[in-house]
Amino acid sequence: MRKKFVAGNWKMHGNLAHNQELLEAVLKNTANMRQSEIAVCVPFPYLSAVQDLLRNTHVKWGAQTVSEHDKGAYTGEVSTEMLSDFGCKYVIVGHSERRVIYGESSQTVALKYLAAQRAGLIPILCIGETLEQREAQITEQVVGEQLNAIVETAGAESLMKSVVAYEPVWAIGTGKTATPQQAQEVHEFIRKSIADYNKKIASEITIIYGGSVKANNADELFAMKDIDGGLIGGASLIAEDFVAICEAAQN
Ligand code: 13P
C-alpha cells in the first residue's frame, strides 16, 4: 500500500507572520492525520523559520528548486547542501513555471534531480503537458519524454527515491482541474512507463497530481487508483483549505 502524500507549493507567497500563522494552524489541525505524509515547499528565505516551526513535528518541508551545481560561482543560486543545512527533506524540480518562465530544459531538470538525490534530498519531479499539447493529443509523448530525460541521466533505479508530480500546465492556477478520469489516465500511463523499467518501483512510487486541487475536488482525485495525493498551489496558502485537502488524503 502506498502512503498518500500532500505537499504545499507556496510559490512566491508568504511572509514571516503569515507563514507562522498558517503552519501553526496546519500543525494543530492535522495532528491526527498520520495516514499520509504532509510537507510544505517554501521560498528560500523562510527555510530557517520554517525549520524552527516544524522541527520534530509530523509536517516535513522543502524548497521549490535548487541548483544543479554543488558549489561555485553561481550568483543567486542555492545548493542542495544549503537545503540540507536547513533540514529540507524534499525539493521540487522541473515545475512548469521553472521550465516555461526560466527556460529550464528537461536536461537541466535531470541534473537538478540528480544533485538533489546526491545530497539525500527527495526530488518531487514535476511533469505535464500544455493545453496545446493536450489538444494535439501528444500528452503521453510529452510526459514520457520528460520522464525519459530523468531515466537517461539518473537511471531508472533512481525513481525509487523520488516523487513524481503530474501537473498539466493548463490546470495550474487556472481553476481548471483535470477531471479525476483525465488525471488517472495520465497517472496510469506514468506508472506503466515506469513499470517498463522496473515493476517494483512502479508499484511503490508516489505519483501525485497538481493543478487547481481544492478542498472540494481533492476527495475525488485522491480516490483514483494511481493518484497518491497532491501538489497544492493556491489552496496551500489557506490553512482551512490545506487541512481539508490533507483530510481527503486520509481515506
Ligand atoms: P494551483 O494549485 O494553484 O493550481 O498550483 C498547482 C501547482 O503548480 C503546484 O505545484
Side-chain angles (χ1 to χ4, degrees):
M1 250 314 257
R2 295 182 300 268
K3 199 173 178 180
K4 289 256 189 318
F5 179 46
V6 177
N9 173 9
W10 290 1
K11 308 193 179 182
M12 200 172 73
H13 293 288
N15 59 53
L16 282 174
H18 177 263
N19 301 347
Q20 178 161 355
E21 200 180 315
L22 173 63
L23 289 177
E24 281 172 356
V26 168
L27 282 173
K28 180 162 162 260
N29 295 302
T30 60
N32 299 325
M33 299 184 191
R34 301 302 170 95
Q35 303 289 89
S36 58
E37 171 123 337
I38 301 171
V40 287
C41 294
V42 311
F44 294 135
Y46 298 127
L47 280 172
S48 175
V50 166
Q51 179 181 32
D52 286 344
L53 284 162
L54 298 181
R55 183 186 280 122
N56 299 327
T57 72
H58 63 287
V59 177
K60 310 296 174 202
W61 63 96
Q64 301 169 10
T65 184
V66 72
S67 173
E68 64 271 38
H69 305 290
D70 288 338
K71 60 170 71 149
Y74 301 105
T75 301
E77 292 290 281
V78 168
S79 73
T80 53
E81 206 174 301
M82 295 170 190
L83 298 187
S84 296
D85 256 352
F86 290 96
C88 288
K89 178 170 180 184
Y90 297 100
V91 60
I92 297 173
V93 299
H95 192 283
S96 64
E97 286 149 18
R98 304 283 331 163
R99 292 181 193 258
V100 175
I101 306 171
Y102 300 100
E104 286 182 10
S105 66
S106 284
Q107 182 51 27
T108 303
V109 172
L111 293 175
K112 287 173 187 267
Y113 170 102
L114 206 53
Q117 286 194 335
R118 261 200 316 272
L121 297 161
I122 299 178
I124 301 176
L125 169 72
C126 297
I127 56 179
E129 82 288 3
T130 62
L131 183 58
E132 223 175 25
Q133 291 165 334
R134 173 160 284 262
E135 284 172 349
Q137 299 182 341
I138 54 169
T139 297
E140 292 190 354
Q141 186 189 324
V142 170
V143 167
E145 281 170 7
Q146 289 169 335
L147 191 64
N148 222 14
I150 297 297
V151 172
E152 276 173 13
T153 302
E157 302 293 313
S158 75
L159 292 166
M160 186 79 103
K161 295 198 175 114
S162 72
V163 170
V164 173
Y166 168 56
E167 297 209 309
V169 180
W170 49 272
I172 295 176
T174 57
K176 277 192 212 149
T177 324
T179 64
Q181 291 72 22
Q182 279 175 324
Q184 164 59 27
E185 266 175 32
V186 183
H187 279 238
E188 190 176 342
F189 169 76
I190 294 168
R191 207 177 292 286
K192 282 207 177 118
S193 305
I194 296 172
D196 289 342
Y197 301 116
N198 185 314
K199 286 207 171 54
K200 182 169 151 53
I201 297 177
S203 71
E204 291 176 2
I205 190 169
T206 300
I207 307 178
I208 58 179
Y209 168 81
S212 299
V213 178
K214 306 287 175 203
N216 63 7
N217 58 25
D219 265 324
E220 278 190 310
L221 285 161
F222 297 172
M224 303 309 285
K225 188 162 82 51
D226 290 297
I227 302 183
D228 303 321
L231 185 56
I232 321 299
S236 73
L237 301 168
I238 303 161
E240 201 184 335
D241 293 357
F242 190 59
V243 167
I245 293 168
C246 293
E247 176 79 51
Q250 294 304 294
N251 305 318

